[in-house]
């Protein structure tokens, strides 16, 4: 079975704001990836895969069977948007197909998104053109990924499937970013990076927490007037490479989240999060829905972090500036 790897994704800006139809900025992150396969993987294909065990493949196959039942139910109700070849999927599941991935689950970088993208890519009867039908694909993926989170924007699978940076203007307006960030200059002192919080999170519980808070009119107003404003300024600054403005507004975002989304910050990071704001050495923000998994970090001098509070945590650089 020929393998097609699908990357993880990073939602750099837009968490929760995109739910309210505001802007977002997302990138594929091929350091982590996954693929459907019938046999055990050839370890020479990717040095990033950790040593697999057969139990993981068996569990993946069982989860795919549950997912198949969900997709079958949609088809029987004539509500399936994807129009998948479920007969072939069922046959492959019985043969032992599994999703081989090094994308950590519950870390906010699209483990379910990569799986959904791979299922659509292999089993869609009539795959849509990637450039002409971006919004339709997003709607298809929203339905397909709802199995995993209860509610999905469809953006994670979309990024994984298109494997291209996207600028989300609104729910119905998404454009490709033409600039090639894969060849970004790595000589600058500043950096945007990932931190491992050490524990996964459950997306659905964080979304439920947000929706409950959003029922409050005062919170809704502040989200639109403050959080979304900072978020959109950060996106514009990043795209224009105005890093002074970027760091200034990331600090505002970080502070806002610390006060209003405190529950979404892992408890072991509350003090570290606050210290970054007070010292201006770095700023932290949510990566996806929050509650655990990866956290995004921003700093004007990455080298100093090895001597500060963040030295204990695994860090992966995304961009230098």
């Amino acid at each position: 079975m020929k393998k097609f790897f699908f990357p993880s994704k990073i939602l750099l800006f837009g968490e929760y704001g995109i739910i309210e139809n505001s802007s977002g900025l997302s990138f594929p992150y091929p350091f982590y990836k996954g693929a459907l396969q019938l046999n055990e993987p050839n370890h020479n294909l990717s040095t990033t895969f950790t040593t697999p065990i057969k139990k993981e493949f068996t569990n993946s196959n069982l989860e795919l069977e549950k997912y198949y039942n969900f997709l079958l139910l949609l088809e029987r109700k004539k509500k399936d948007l994807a129009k998948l070849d479920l007969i072939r999927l069922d046959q492959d599941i019985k043969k032992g197909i599994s999703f081989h991935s090094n994308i950590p689950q519950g870390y906010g970088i699209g483990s379910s998104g990569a799986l959904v993208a791979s299922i659509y890519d292999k089993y869609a009867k009539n795959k849509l053109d990637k450039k002409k039908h971006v919004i339709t694909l997003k709607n298809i993926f929203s339905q397909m990924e709802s199995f995993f989170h209860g509610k999905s924007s469809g953006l994670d699978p979309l990024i994984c499937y298109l494997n291209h940076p996207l600028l989300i203007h609104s729910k119905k307006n998404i454009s490709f970013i033409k600039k090639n960030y894969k060849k970004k200059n790595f000589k600058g002192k500043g950096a945007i990076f990932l931190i491992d919080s050490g524990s996964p999170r459950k997306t659905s519980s964080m979304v439920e927490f947000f929706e409950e808070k959003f029922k409050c009119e005062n919170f809704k107003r502040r989200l639109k007037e403050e959080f979304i404003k900072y978020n959109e300024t950060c996106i514009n600054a990043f795209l224009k490479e105005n890093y002074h403005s970027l760091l200034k507004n990331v600090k505002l975002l970080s502070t806002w989240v610390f006060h209003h989304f405190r529950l979404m910050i892992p408890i072991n990071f509350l003090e570290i999060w606050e210290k970054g704001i007070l010292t201006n050495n770095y700023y932290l923000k949510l990566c996806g829905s929050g509650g655990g998994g990866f956290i995004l970090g921003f700093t004007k001098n990455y080298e100093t972090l090895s001597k500060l509070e963040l030295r204990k945590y695994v860090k992966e650089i995304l961009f230098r500036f």
Side-chain angles (χ1 to χ4, degrees):
M1 179 179 179
K2 188 176 180 181
K3 292 199 293 187
F4 292 92
F5 286 97
F6 288 90
S8 61
K9 62 82 200 179
I10 300 292
L11 182 62
L12 198 60
F13 297 104
E15 69 283 356
Y16 293 106
I18 56 176
I19 295 177
E20 294 309 309
N21 212 28
S22 70
S23 303
L25 184 63
S26 192
F27 292 81
Y29 187 46
F31 180 81
Y32 296 107
K33 52 185 173 289
L36 289 168
Q37 180 156 326
L38 285 171
N39 303 310
E40 289 191 6
N42 179 345
H43 303 301
N44 294 325
L45 289 176
S46 174
T47 57
T48 60
F49 275 96
T50 55
T51 303
I53 56 176
K54 290 183 179 180
K55 185 178 179 182
E56 291 177 355
F57 301 151
T58 302
N59 290 341
S60 175
N61 180 261
L62 292 173
E63 289 302 311
L64 282 175
E65 185 175 0
K66 294 176 185 177
Y67 187 42
Y68 161 79
N69 290 329
F70 166 77
L71 296 171
L72 183 62
L73 184 62
L74 288 176
E75 183 183 71
R76 287 175 175 172
K77 290 184 176 181
K78 301 187 183 302
K79 293 182 178 180
D80 57 318
L81 299 177
K83 307 302 179 186
L84 304 173
D85 186 347
L86 296 183
I87 293 176
R88 189 157 64 96
L89 174 58
D90 183 41
Q91 291 172 343
D92 286 345
I93 290 172
K94 289 174 179 176
K95 290 177 184 177
I97 193 175
S98 60
F99 187 64
H100 295 178
S101 167
N102 67 342
I103 308 173
Q105 295 184 20
Y107 267 67
I109 59 171
S111 57
S112 61
L115 171 58
V116 167
S118 66
I119 292 289
Y120 178 82
D121 182 71
K122 182 164 181 61
Y123 298 103
K125 294 177 182 177
N126 296 293
K127 287 191 285 187
L128 297 175
D129 185 279
K130 292 183 177 181
K131 292 186 177 180
K132 294 180 180 178
H133 300 284
V134 174
I135 300 302
T136 304
L137 283 168
K138 184 182 84 73
N139 294 335
I140 288 171
F141 292 147
S142 173
Q143 183 187 62
M144 290 179 68
E145 198 183 30
S146 66
F147 170 79
F148 300 97
H149 303 312
K151 185 177 182 180
S152 167
S153 67
L155 286 170
D156 284 9
L158 185 67
I159 290 289
C160 300
Y161 183 65
L162 298 179
N163 193 18
H164 197 286
L166 293 180
L167 176 59
I168 300 102
H169 304 277
S170 66
K171 292 178 181 178
K172 296 183 179 181
N173 185 3
I174 298 174
S175 61
F176 290 86
I177 296 174
K178 295 180 180 180
K179 190 164 185 175
N180 187 355
Y181 285 93
K182 291 181 180 179
K183 297 180 180 179
K184 193 66 180 166
N185 184 356
F186 271 71
K187 295 181 180 180
K189 290 184 178 180
I192 302 174
F193 54 94
L194 285 178
I195 299 177
D196 187 348
S197 71
S199 60
R201 86 286 183 272
K202 191 173 181 180
T203 299
S204 57
S205 61
M206 292 296 100
V207 173
E208 288 170 7
F209 168 73
F210 171 79
E211 290 179 339
E212 191 62 32
K213 283 184 70 71
F214 201 69
K215 291 177 182 178
C216 173
E217 288 299 322
N218 183 51
F219 174 80
K220 185 186 296 187
R221 177 182 57 80
R222 299 196 70 171
L223 182 85
K224 292 180 177 180
E225 293 179 358
E226 299 169 1
F227 180 82
I228 290 177
K229 176 185 174 182
Y230 305 149
N231 175 75
E232 294 186 347
T233 305
C234 284
I235 292 173
N236 291 330
F238 179 84
L239 294 176
K240 293 178 180 178
E241 300 187 13
N242 185 344
Y243 298 113
H244 175 76
S245 175
L246 175 67
L247 290 172
K248 176 184 175 181
N249 284 277
V250 167
K251 179 178 181 178
L252 292 171
L253 264 182
S254 182
T255 305
W256 200 95
V257 169
F258 185 78
H259 290 294
H260 298 283
F261 284 163
R262 197 178 183 88
L263 186 65
M264 297 174 179
I265 302 173
I267 192 167
N268 58 317
F269 266 81
L270 284 170
E271 184 178 344
I272 297 169
W273 193 292
E274 184 179 29
K275 186 166 286 188
I277 295 169
L278 295 176
T279 63
N280 292 311
N281 289 323
Y282 59 88
Y283 309 117
L284 303 181
K285 71 177 291 293
L286 300 178
C287 182
S289 62
F294 284 121
I295 294 171
L296 280 164
F298 297 74
T299 182
K300 60 185 176 183
N301 193 338
Y302 183 79
E303 305 310 322
T304 62
L305 296 182
S306 61
K307 303 173 185 178
L308 299 172
E309 296 80 12
L310 302 184
R311 66 183 182 277
K312 302 176 185 177
Y313 301 94
V314 177
K315 297 180 287 294
E316 297 170 22
I317 297 175
L318 300 176
F319 304 98
R320 297 296 293 255
F321 56 85

